[in-house]
Amino acid sequence: FNVLIKGRPMVLGVGDILKHWTEFRMDSIRRQIAFDIQKKSEKFHLLQGLAKILADIDKAIAIIRNTEEEKMVVPNLMTGFDIDEVQAEYIAEIKLRNINQEYILKQTKAISELEKEIAELKDILGSSRKLKSVIKKELKAVADKYGQNRKTEIIYHIDEIQPEEEAEVIPDYPVTVFVSREGYLKKITAQSLRM
């Protein structure tokens, strides 16, 4: 088959095509997992900041309430709880009705789950065997969703079927043969020659 591999045309057999497809798929999954790790790490970072204010929610409310200028809320939260700007911005944007212990406890319970998920994703990212098992799971899911039963039957015992011997039919008609300057032969029927 003529295929494009990384922008270069190549002629490959089925085995090589499968090898290159597997490499492409593994690279795609690596990028997908790296993206998931980044997103989960960002959320993990925000929840760590939220966990720091859990000890003293009233102090956080007092800092927000007693800050005179809006632009100083984030820096005051950063100094008051020893958190970075991203975490302070997240805490400052929490709705007033969500600043209660139940909401914050529920959010911080996700920290340990997120930590496990990030560790699992990093483990998959580091092992080509686990990446291939992800490919297998995805292919099985596609086969289960879109697969169809075989419509033909494979016959393993061909002994019973004997092919009929066909007599080769050779047409018998008069022709004129020409030899071109380049040495090619050309046959023309008498009817074509008259035309």
Side-chain angles (χ1 to χ4, degrees):
F1 298 97
N2 291 322
V3 292
L4 283 174
I5 304 293
K6 296 180 182 172
R8 292 181 46 222
M10 295 181 163
V11 178
L12 300 174
V14 174
D16 289 331
I17 289 174
L18 288 174
K19 185 182 118 197
H20 284 287
W21 181 84
T22 305
E23 290 172 6
F24 163 77
R25 198 66 194 113
M26 285 176 68
D27 189 44
S28 298
I29 291 173
R30 276 190 197 100
R31 287 195 311 268
Q32 177 185 357
I33 289 175
F35 178 79
D36 290 345
I37 289 172
Q38 178 191 355
K39 288 297 180 188
K40 288 179 188 289
S41 296
E42 289 172 3
K43 186 173 183 184
F44 179 73
H45 182 66
L46 294 176
L47 291 179
Q48 281 180 322
L50 193 60
K52 286 184 181 179
I53 73 157
L54 177 63
D56 199 358
I57 298 172
D58 293 332
K59 180 180 174 184
I61 294 171
I63 290 173
I64 293 171
R65 186 182 314 141
N66 295 331
T67 303
E68 293 177 10
E69 296 179 25
E70 184 183 347
K71 65 181 179 180
M72 293 305 293
V73 170
V74 172
N76 289 346
L77 283 172
M78 289 169 59
T79 56
F81 287 100
D82 191 31
I83 54 179
D84 64 18
E85 186 176 352
V86 176
Q87 292 171 327
E89 188 70 43
Y90 175 69
I91 291 167
E93 294 296 323
I94 293 176
K95 292 180 182 176
L96 188 59
R97 70 186 217 185
N98 290 336
I99 300 183
N100 60 53
Q101 198 159 358
E102 179 188 356
Y103 172 80
I104 295 174
L105 279 173
K106 192 185 339 175
Q107 292 298 316
T108 53
K109 280 183 184 176
I111 289 177
S112 61
E113 293 172 17
L114 268 176
E115 203 168 14
K116 287 177 188 174
E117 289 175 16
I118 290 170
E120 286 174 11
L121 289 173
K122 286 182 178 178
D123 188 38
I124 291 171
L125 197 59
S127 169
S128 64
R129 185 178 58 80
K130 290 184 179 179
L131 282 173
K132 288 179 182 175
S133 70
V134 170
I135 293 173
K136 287 179 192 175
K137 287 178 189 172
E138 289 179 355
L139 288 175
K140 183 160 178 23
V142 169
D144 290 343
K145 186 173 182 181
Y146 299 106
Q148 297 177 350
N149 292 332
R150 188 179 186 95
K151 295 186 180 185
T152 58
E153 184 179 341
I154 299 175
I155 301 173
Y156 292 102
H157 302 288
I158 305 177
D159 306 344
E160 303 164 5
I161 302 171
Q162 295 295 327
E164 295 178 17
E165 291 186 28
E166 294 181 17
E168 191 174 329
V169 178
I170 301 171
D172 186 14
Y173 56 90
V175 295
T176 306
V177 178
F178 293 95
V179 179
S180 68
R181 277 182 283 201
E182 291 82 18
Y184 293 105
L185 291 174
K186 174 81 174 170
K187 71 176 186 177
I188 299 177
T189 61
Q191 181 180 5
S192 297
L193 190 59
R194 279 191 294 252
M195 291 170 54

